[in-house]
């Protein structure tokens, strides 16, 4: 791949614009943020498609919750939307065409352009009503882990959250160390490896579960898939499992304070990215039951079902605040539609490098509700 010298960002974006609106576009992706700026969306992907209504430029944007797709008519509509995207402060553009590929990386002085070989168009762009999957439903992975429609939907929802959290593959460390804490039967663990390795990422993935029989079962599945050199499993608790480091920490459906154990372990490792989908939230609910709030706030916890739902919100609010206190940018998003499971929140965190800092608002919240979060205790937090 050839690298062009630095040029002005305006000139580089003009070249990108010509490719995006040209006849040979295969696919283009904008992602990342320039220093001190934030685009309106996390990622934008463009590609030509052929629909019953004719040729269109399909735009998929990801805001951290769910993708949004629009199909733009050629001409003024497509050009106007492309110009809006180019005005966003994305850190990089990767454009693939039938004649070559171009990667734009924004710098302090302007931009650097990397040029590569041509990319063959996908076989067919027509897809009226066709649903895209990050892992094809016919992939051999599902022959090993099982895969009814509900499981495939959950896998796809998880992978979209993972894709929206991580930067482009070329910006990831090599190898990328991923640890799944409380992996259980590991079908999402295997899905994460299948997806990331399919994106060209050099992945080393470790699944942790307290049960030795799960380690043996999952190890056998990794061997059956031919992944045993890159996907390994250990038996142990989340807090004490023999794992030294992680770039990405997954904790999916870890029950009650097991999610706190996973978040604390991730912070101890200085993990760059964290995805946690909590399950039940019993700890704070018990504390609210033993010491209910006074005055008007007592109505929030008077009834058991309302107390449990409020405890869910309060628990994850505190977890997000504690992660921010320890140098992470945090989002709490919907993991999968509530029709699939009511436990559908996901905490996504990205390490910013900021030093741990006091948070008076969090301290006030904890004092007001008379709660002592398990995560704060694990982190030896003064609160």
């Amino acid at each position: 791949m050839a690298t062009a010298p630095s040029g002005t960002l305006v000139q580089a974006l003009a070249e990108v614009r010509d490719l995006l609106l040209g006849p040979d576009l295969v696919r283009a992706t904008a992602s990342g943020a320039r220093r001190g700026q934030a685009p309106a969306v996390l990622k934008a992907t463009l590609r030509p498609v052929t629909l019953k209504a004719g040729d269109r430029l399909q735009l998929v944007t990801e805001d951290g919750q769910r993708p949004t797709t629009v199909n733009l008519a050629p001409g003024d509509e497509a050009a106007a939307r492309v110009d809006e995207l180019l005005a966003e402060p994305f850190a990089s553009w990767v454009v693939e065409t039938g004649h070559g590929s171009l990667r734009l990386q924004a710098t302090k002085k302007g931009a650097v352009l990397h040029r590569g070989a041509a990319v063959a168009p996908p076989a067919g762009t027509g897809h009226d009503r066709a649903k895209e999957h990050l892992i094809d439903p016919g992939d051999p992975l599902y022959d090993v882990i099982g895969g009814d429609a509900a499981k495939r939907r959950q896998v796809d929802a998880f992978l979209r959250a993972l894709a929206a959290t991580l930067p482009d593959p070329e910006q990831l460390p090599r190898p990328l160390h991923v640890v799944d804490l409380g992996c259980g039967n590991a079908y999402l663990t295997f899905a994460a490896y299948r997806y990331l390795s399919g994106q060209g990422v050099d992945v080393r993935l470790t699944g942790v579960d307290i049960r030795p029989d799960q380690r043996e079962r999952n190890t056998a599945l990794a061997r059956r898939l031919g992944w045993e050199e890159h996907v390994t499993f250990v038996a142990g608790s989340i807090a004490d499992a023999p794992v030294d480091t992680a770039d990405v920490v997954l904790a999916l459906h870890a029950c009650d304070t097991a999610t706190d154990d996973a978040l604390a372990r991730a912070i101890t490792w200085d993990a760059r990215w964290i995805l946690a989908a909590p399950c039940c939230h019993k700890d704070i609910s018990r504390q609210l039951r033993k010491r209910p709030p006074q005055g008007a706030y007592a109505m929030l916890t008077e009834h058991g079902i309302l107390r449990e739902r409020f405890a869910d919100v309060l628990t994850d609010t505190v977890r997000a605040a504690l992660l921010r206190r320890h140098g992470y940018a945090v989002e709490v998003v919907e993991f999968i539609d509530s029709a699939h499971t009511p436990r559908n929140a996901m905490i996504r965190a990205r390490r910013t490098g900021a030093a741990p800092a006091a948070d008076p608002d969090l301290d006030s919240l904890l004092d007001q509700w008379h709660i002592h979060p398990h995560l704060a205790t694990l982190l030896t937090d003064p609160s």
Side-chain angles (χ1 to χ4, degrees), residues 226-349:
W227 297 348
E228 66 270 24
E229 290 187 7
H230 291 164
V231 182
T232 58
F233 295 89
V234 298
S237 69
I238 289 175
D240 301 321
V243 181
D244 295 328
T245 187
D247 298 308
V248 181
V249 170
L250 310 177
L252 308 172
H253 303 141
C255 190
D256 196 19
T257 56
T259 295
D260 299 308
D261 293 334
L263 295 177
R265 196 83 194 267
I267 292 171
T268 300
W269 284 327
D270 283 331
R272 300 190 189 192
W273 300 280
I274 303 170
L275 288 89
C279 187
C280 54
H281 299 69
K282 297 178 181 178
D283 182 47
I284 297 299
S285 182
R286 284 192 295 264
Q287 295 184 41
L288 292 174
R289 185 176 66 251
K290 290 179 180 179
R291 192 173 180 181
Q294 303 299 311
Y297 288 135
M299 291 186 288
L300 290 171
T301 63
E302 179 181 1
H303 304 284
I305 187 172
L306 296 180
R307 182 178 62 247
E308 290 177 6
R309 291 179 179 177
F310 178 68
D312 288 0
V313 173
L314 186 57
T315 300
D316 289 336
T317 297
V318 170
R319 285 168 172 162
L322 285 167
L323 283 165
R324 283 193 294 270
R325 174 178 281 190
H326 285 268
Y328 285 83
V330 185
E331 294 179 300
V332 182
V333 300
E334 185 179 69
F335 171 28
I336 193 171
D337 190 273
S338 58
H340 184 85
T341 173
R343 303 293 185 182
N344 65 341
M346 173 174 281
I347 300 171
R348 302 191 323 190

Side-chain angles (χ1 to χ4, degrees), residues 93-159:
W93 277 90
V94 178
V95 185
E96 300 169 340
T97 76
H99 293 297
S101 62
L102 180 145
R103 180 160 64 90
L104 180 158
Q105 192 71 37
T107 67
K108 290 181 179 180
K109 297 181 179 180
V112 174
L113 297 178
H114 306 269
R115 304 180 191 276
V119 177
T125 56
H127 78 306
D128 263 357
R129 298 187 179 89
K131 185 175 182 180
E132 291 187 351
H133 298 269
L134 296 188
I135 296 179
D136 189 277
D139 192 283
L141 171 67
Y142 288 116
D143 295 334
V144 177
I145 66 172
D148 58 15
K151 178 178 281 188
R152 291 197 301 271
R153 282 195 300 271
Q154 188 176 39
V155 166
D156 202 58
F158 160 64
L159 293 179

Side-chain angles (χ1 to χ4, degrees), residues 13-153:
L13 289 173
E15 183 173 351
V16 169
R17 184 184 191 275
D18 290 341
L19 296 175
L20 296 179
L21 298 174
D24 299 314
L25 177 68
V26 175
R27 177 185 172 92
T29 302
S31 62
R34 297 173 209 160
R35 185 181 297 275
Q37 302 181 69
V41 294
L42 297 176
K43 182 182 289 189
T45 303
L46 290 156
R47 70 185 185 103
V49 296
T50 300
L51 308 178
K52 290 180 180 178
D55 292 341
R56 294 291 185 268
L57 182 63
Q58 184 181 87
L59 168 63
V60 180
T61 56
E62 299 180 20
D63 62 1
Q65 298 187 29
R66 61 181 63 190
T68 300
T69 302
V70 295
N71 295 307
L72 306 167
D76 291 343
E77 182 182 21
R81 192 67 183 94
V82 163
D83 287 341
E84 291 176 7
L85 288 172
L86 292 171
E88 294 285 349
F90 288 113
S92 73
W93 277 90
V94 178
V95 185
E96 300 169 340
T97 76
H99 293 297
S101 62
L102 180 145
R103 180 160 64 90
L104 180 158
Q105 192 71 37
T107 67
K108 290 181 179 180
K109 297 181 179 180
V112 174
L113 297 178
H114 306 269
R115 304 180 191 276
V119 177
T125 56
H127 78 306
D128 263 357
R129 298 187 179 89
K131 185 175 182 180
E132 291 187 351
H133 298 269
L134 296 188
I135 296 179
D136 189 277
D139 192 283
L141 171 67
Y142 288 116
D143 295 334
V144 177
I145 66 172
D148 58 15
K151 178 178 281 188
R152 291 197 301 271
R153 282 195 300 271

